Amino acid sequence: MIGMLLVSHGRMAEGMLDSLELIMGSCDRMHTVSLCAGEDFESFRAKVMEAIRQLDSGDGVLVFVDLYGASPFNASVYAAARMAQEGISVRVLAGMNLAMLLETAAMRASSSLQELVAIADAAGRDGISEPLVVKEEENGGDY
């Protein structure tokens, strides 16, 4: 089964996993790594690499990060390159949201890593709605 690693600034990753498990129940082969205030980047990057090693069962690991181009993303991309040297397949997706996590968790047992990347990408995009505009007269002015 493909491992899933959630990586974020602060405790966002833990909150996402908590929400995911509230909806789906306990999830195997999932882990979180959070970058906390004042944490050394090198030790954070080492935690990401160790988590990937622990999650890989031979099918690879999909890493979700909160923000493209930021420290959690950079650490994850670095780790993916290092893991490739160890024979571990890793893909990194930025813009983590609950919709993509739910769909990915549901489909990962029956999908390849590359298929799962496409599933996660589509679910993440589909999980974002158009802005909802509520006119005051539609709800009687009560919010």
Side-chain angles (χ1 to χ4, degrees), residues 47-113:
K47 283 189 218 174
V48 172
M49 287 190 289
E50 183 56 32
I52 290 170
R53 286 184 190 105
Q54 289 176 5
L55 287 169
D56 182 53
S57 63
D59 296 321
V61 177
L62 184 49
V63 179
F64 296 89
V65 297
D66 57 356
L67 189 61
Y68 178 80
S71 295
F73 176 83
N74 294 333
S76 298
V77 169
Y78 175 87
R82 292 290 303 269
M83 296 300 101
Q85 295 171 353
E86 296 179 21
I88 299 172
S89 296
V90 178
R91 299 295 181 273
V92 179
L93 282 175
M96 170 173 51
N97 67 40
L98 191 55
M100 73 172 24
L101 296 179
L102 286 165
E103 189 71 21
T104 305
M107 299 299 295
R108 67 188 172 129
S110 61
S111 302
S112 70
L113 183 57

Side-chain angles (χ1 to χ4, degrees), residues 111-132:
S111 302
S112 70
L113 183 57
Q114 201 54 40
E115 290 168 335
L116 208 57
V117 168
I119 289 166
D121 181 61
R125 292 174 193 275
D126 291 345
I128 300 170
S129 72
E130 293 292 322
L132 178 63

